[in-house]
Each structure stands twice: as structure tokens, then as C-alpha cells.
Amino acid sequence: MFQQVPMVEMDGMKLVQSRAILNYIATKYNLYGKDTKERLLIDMYSEGMADLYEMITRFPMTPPDEKDAKLASLKDRTRNRFLPAFEKVLKSHGQDYLVGNTLSRADVFLVELLYSVEEVDSSLLAGFPLLQAFKTRMSNLPNVKKFLQPGSQRKPPTDEKRIEELRKVFKF
């Protein structure tokens, strides 16, 4: 449709736009809440996660002379803004999952985000016991556990070699 990636072929359709793809798959596999209120919460939490995830994924492309300041800002916002918000949701909700008492796409996104946070600095999750327990619980779900195994489709952290390749391709 927009001549871009990602593009997923599913159910006889070519799906584009990341959020549209995620919403379609989540709806199809009952990972998008039981009603509009749950879908709203899933979307709100997922958008907050996307904000932090974007900061993390863009960090490796930071110019060398800005890296220290950018990393300090990233760690500060992670520790003082984002992680406390999700810790609070788990505490106030009192369930194993972020929304309702069933797995949603927000839970899957959060566990991936927590792994990404640890790749930035493994000490960032210290002081967030509910998020640590959530990560452990989610990581032990059979399909998640399989996804986290070496050789799976989960992408490794971006290294300097990959950054140089990206710089050449995208000319930045």
C-alpha cells in the first residue's frame, strides 16, 4: 500500500504500518482485551512503552560527542519516569498482567522492553520488584521462552558494526 516495510502477508492480505499489524494480530489471537476499556488501557500502556523503546533503539545512532549526555538522560527517564509508571500499574492492578487477568499485547511489549532496558544498563530494573517478577513470569511462558532462546528471531542489541552499515545505507 505505502511501498514500505514492515509488511506482513496474512489471511490473504498484505498488512503494513506497525501498529495496524500489531492490532490485527492482537485482535486475531485474543491479545487485545475483552472490551473497549481494556483496549484503551492496552493502547495507552503500549504507547508509553513505544516512547521509551524509541529512545532506546535510537540511542546507538547518537553522535559520539552526544552519547554520554544522551545515555544519562535515557537512564534518568527510564528510572524516574517510565519504570515507576509500569510498576505502579502492576501494583494497583494486583494481577499477573497489565490489563485484566489475561495476556495482552501490552504484556508482550513490556517484557521485550524490559530486556531492552537491561541491555542499556542491567541495574535499571533494581528497585522495581514487580517489574522484575513480571519479566521472570513472562519469560517462562512457553512461547516467550522459545523466542528468547539463542538462534530465535529476537534481534540482538545493535553493535557498532551494524550501526556503520546503517549509516552507509541511510546516509546519516
PDB file of all heavy atoms in Angstrom, residues 43-57:
ATOM      1  N   ASP A  43      -3.666   0.133  24.648  1.00  0.00           N
ATOM      2  CA  ASP A  43      -3.093   1.151  23.761  1.00  0.00           C
ATOM      3  C   ASP A  43      -2.305   2.199  24.544  1.00  0.00           C
ATOM      4  O   ASP A  43      -1.207   2.584  24.135  1.00  0.00           O
ATOM      5  CB  ASP A  43      -4.193   1.846  22.950  1.00  0.00           C
ATOM      6  CG  ASP A  43      -4.770   0.977  21.849  1.00  0.00           C
ATOM      7  OD1 ASP A  43      -4.137  -0.032  21.470  1.00  0.00           O
ATOM      8  OD2 ASP A  43      -5.880   1.311  21.365  1.00  0.00           O
ATOM      9  N   MET A  44      -2.842   2.670  25.659  1.00  0.00           N
ATOM     10  CA  MET A  44      -2.147   3.678  26.466  1.00  0.00           C
ATOM     11  C   MET A  44      -0.806   3.149  26.959  1.00  0.00           C
ATOM     12  O   MET A  44       0.227   3.824  26.823  1.00  0.00           O
ATOM     13  CB  MET A  44      -3.015   4.098  27.662  1.00  0.00           C
ATOM     14  CG  MET A  44      -4.161   4.995  27.297  1.00  0.00           C
ATOM     15  SD  MET A  44      -5.316   5.416  28.657  1.00  0.00           S
ATOM     16  CE  MET A  44      -4.396   5.227  30.140  1.00  0.00           C
ATOM     17  N   TYR A  45      -0.808   1.962  27.521  1.00  0.00           N
ATOM     18  CA  TYR A  45       0.435   1.393  28.029  1.00  0.00           C
ATOM     19  C   TYR A  45       1.417   1.143  26.889  1.00  0.00           C
ATOM     20  O   TYR A  45       2.616   1.428  27.010  1.00  0.00           O
ATOM     21  CB  TYR A  45       0.173   0.100  28.800  1.00  0.00           C
ATOM     22  CG  TYR A  45      -0.733   0.260  30.004  1.00  0.00           C
ATOM     23  CD1 TYR A  45      -1.492  -0.798  30.459  1.00  0.00           C
ATOM     24  CD2 TYR A  45      -0.843   1.467  30.682  1.00  0.00           C
ATOM     25  CE1 TYR A  45      -2.327  -0.666  31.566  1.00  0.00           C
ATOM     26  CE2 TYR A  45      -1.674   1.615  31.783  1.00  0.00           C
ATOM     27  CZ  TYR A  45      -2.419   0.536  32.214  1.00  0.00           C
ATOM     28  OH  TYR A  45      -3.245   0.681  33.301  1.00  0.00           O
ATOM     29  N   SER A  46       0.918   0.629  25.779  1.00  0.00           N
ATOM     30  CA  SER A  46       1.787   0.332  24.637  1.00  0.00           C
ATOM     31  C   SER A  46       2.408   1.601  24.059  1.00  0.00           C
ATOM     32  O   SER A  46       3.581   1.598  23.660  1.00  0.00           O
ATOM     33  CB  SER A  46       1.013  -0.414  23.549  1.00  0.00           C
ATOM     34  OG  SER A  46       0.606  -1.677  24.021  1.00  0.00           O
ATOM     35  N   GLU A  47       1.652   2.675  24.011  1.00  0.00           N
ATOM     36  CA  GLU A  47       2.199   3.938  23.501  1.00  0.00           C
ATOM     37  C   GLU A  47       3.289   4.465  24.429  1.00  0.00           C
ATOM     38  O   GLU A  47       4.312   4.991  23.971  1.00  0.00           O
ATOM     39  CB  GLU A  47       1.096   4.974  23.302  1.00  0.00           C
ATOM     40  CG  GLU A  47       0.148   4.660  22.163  1.00  0.00           C
ATOM     41  CD  GLU A  47       0.824   4.588  20.810  1.00  0.00           C
ATOM     42  OE1 GLU A  47       1.703   5.431  20.504  1.00  0.00           O
ATOM     43  OE2 GLU A  47       0.492   3.666  20.036  1.00  0.00           O
ATOM     44  N   GLY A  48       3.085   4.342  25.732  1.00  0.00           N
ATOM     45  CA  GLY A  48       4.133   4.735  26.682  1.00  0.00           C
ATOM     46  C   GLY A  48       5.382   3.891  26.504  1.00  0.00           C
ATOM     47  O   GLY A  48       6.512   4.394  26.526  1.00  0.00           O
ATOM     48  N   MET A  49       5.188   2.599  26.305  1.00  0.00           N
ATOM     49  CA  MET A  49       6.325   1.707  26.066  1.00  0.00           C
ATOM     50  C   MET A  49       7.027   2.081  24.773  1.00  0.00           C
ATOM     51  O   MET A  49       8.263   2.057  24.701  1.00  0.00           O
ATOM     52  CB  MET A  49       5.850   0.251  25.998  1.00  0.00           C
ATOM     53  CG  MET A  49       5.410  -0.310  27.322  1.00  0.00           C
ATOM     54  SD  MET A  49       4.789  -1.989  27.079  1.00  0.00           S
ATOM     55  CE  MET A  49       3.251  -1.891  27.964  1.00  0.00           C
ATOM     56  N   ALA A  50       6.251   2.424  23.747  1.00  0.00           N
ATOM     57  CA  ALA A  50       6.841   2.796  22.457  1.00  0.00           C
ATOM     58  C   ALA A  50       7.723   4.030  22.595  1.00  0.00           C
ATOM     59  O   ALA A  50       8.773   4.128  21.943  1.00  0.00           O
ATOM     60  CB  ALA A  50       5.738   3.020  21.420  1.00  0.00           C
ATOM     61  N   ASP A  51       7.319   4.973  23.446  1.00  0.00           N
ATOM     62  CA  ASP A  51       8.137   6.167  23.662  1.00  0.00           C
ATOM     63  C   ASP A  51       9.517   5.786  24.201  1.00  0.00           C
ATOM     64  O   ASP A  51      10.536   6.265  23.701  1.00  0.00           O
ATOM     65  CB  ASP A  51       7.457   7.117  24.651  1.00  0.00           C
ATOM     66  CG  ASP A  51       6.211   7.779  24.088  1.00  0.00           C
ATOM     67  OD1 ASP A  51       5.990   7.723  22.852  1.00  0.00           O
ATOM     68  OD2 ASP A  51       5.438   8.348  24.890  1.00  0.00           O
ATOM     69  N   LEU A  52       9.547   4.928  25.210  1.00  0.00           N
ATOM     70  CA  LEU A  52      10.832   4.507  25.774  1.00  0.00           C
ATOM     71  C   LEU A  52      11.593   3.625  24.798  1.00  0.00           C
ATOM     72  O   LEU A  52      12.813   3.772  24.626  1.00  0.00           O
ATOM     73  CB  LEU A  52      10.631   3.781  27.107  1.00  0.00           C
ATOM     74  CG  LEU A  52      11.900   3.241  27.770  1.00  0.00           C
ATOM     75  CD1 LEU A  52      12.946   4.337  27.983  1.00  0.00           C
ATOM     76  CD2 LEU A  52      11.551   2.563  29.103  1.00  0.00           C
ATOM     77  N   TYR A  53      10.905   2.715  24.138  1.00  0.00           N
ATOM     78  CA  TYR A  53      11.553   1.814  23.194  1.00  0.00           C
ATOM     79  C   TYR A  53      12.220   2.608  22.067  1.00  0.00           C
ATOM     80  O   TYR A  53      13.330   2.293  21.634  1.00  0.00           O
ATOM     81  CB  TYR A  53      10.535   0.820  22.638  1.00  0.00           C
ATOM     82  CG  TYR A  53      11.146  -0.342  21.914  1.00  0.00           C
ATOM     83  CD1 TYR A  53      11.808  -1.349  22.610  1.00  0.00           C
ATOM     84  CD2 TYR A  53      11.075  -0.446  20.538  1.00  0.00           C
ATOM     85  CE1 TYR A  53      12.381  -2.427  21.952  1.00  0.00           C
ATOM     86  CE2 TYR A  53      11.641  -1.514  19.871  1.00  0.00           C
ATOM     87  CZ  TYR A  53      12.293  -2.505  20.585  1.00  0.00           C
ATOM     88  OH  TYR A  53      12.868  -3.560  19.927  1.00  0.00           O
ATOM     89  N   GLU A  54      11.559   3.663  21.599  1.00  0.00           N
ATOM     90  CA  GLU A  54      12.134   4.507  20.552  1.00  0.00           C
ATOM     91  C   GLU A  54      13.412   5.179  21.047  1.00  0.00           C
ATOM     92  O   GLU A  54      14.409   5.253  20.323  1.00  0.00           O
ATOM     93  CB  GLU A  54      11.124   5.546  20.092  1.00  0.00           C
ATOM     94  CG  GLU A  54      11.632   6.395  18.957  1.00  0.00           C
ATOM     95  CD  GLU A  54      10.594   7.366  18.431  1.00  0.00           C
ATOM     96  OE1 GLU A  54       9.389   7.077  18.519  1.00  0.00           O
ATOM     97  OE2 GLU A  54      11.001   8.423  17.929  1.00  0.00           O
ATOM     98  N   MET A  55      13.394   5.665  22.276  1.00  0.00           N
ATOM     99  CA  MET A  55      14.603   6.281  22.833  1.00  0.00           C
ATOM    100  C   MET A  55      15.756   5.268  22.874  1.00  0.00           C
ATOM    101  O   MET A  55      16.894   5.600  22.542  1.00  0.00           O
ATOM    102  CB  MET A  55      14.323   6.800  24.244  1.00  0.00           C
ATOM    103  CG  MET A  55      13.404   7.987  24.306  1.00  0.00           C
ATOM    104  SD  MET A  55      12.885   8.410  25.990  1.00  0.00           S
ATOM    105  CE  MET A  55      14.444   8.602  26.826  1.00  0.00           C
ATOM    106  N   ILE A  56      15.447   4.054  23.271  1.00  0.00           N
ATOM    107  CA  ILE A  56      16.469   3.013  23.376  1.00  0.00           C
ATOM    108  C   ILE A  56      16.996   2.628  21.997  1.00  0.00           C
ATOM    109  O   ILE A  56      18.212   2.501  21.806  1.00  0.00           O
ATOM    110  CB  ILE A  56      15.917   1.779  24.128  1.00  0.00           C
ATOM    111  CG1 ILE A  56      15.695   2.121  25.602  1.00  0.00           C
ATOM    112  CG2 ILE A  56      16.854   0.589  23.990  1.00  0.00           C
ATOM    113  CD1 ILE A  56      14.927   1.068  26.387  1.00  0.00           C
ATOM    114  N   THR A  57      16.100   2.429  21.047  1.00  0.00           N
ATOM    115  CA  THR A  57      16.541   1.972  19.732  1.00  0.00           C
ATOM    116  C   THR A  57      17.276   3.062  18.953  1.00  0.00           C
ATOM    117  O   THR A  57      18.104   2.745  18.100  1.00  0.00           O
ATOM    118  CB  THR A  57      15.366   1.433  18.883  1.00  0.00           C
ATOM    119  OG1 THR A  57      14.364   2.446  18.758  1.00  0.00           O
ATOM    120  CG2 THR A  57      14.781   0.180  19.509  1.00  0.00           C
TER     121      THR A  57
END
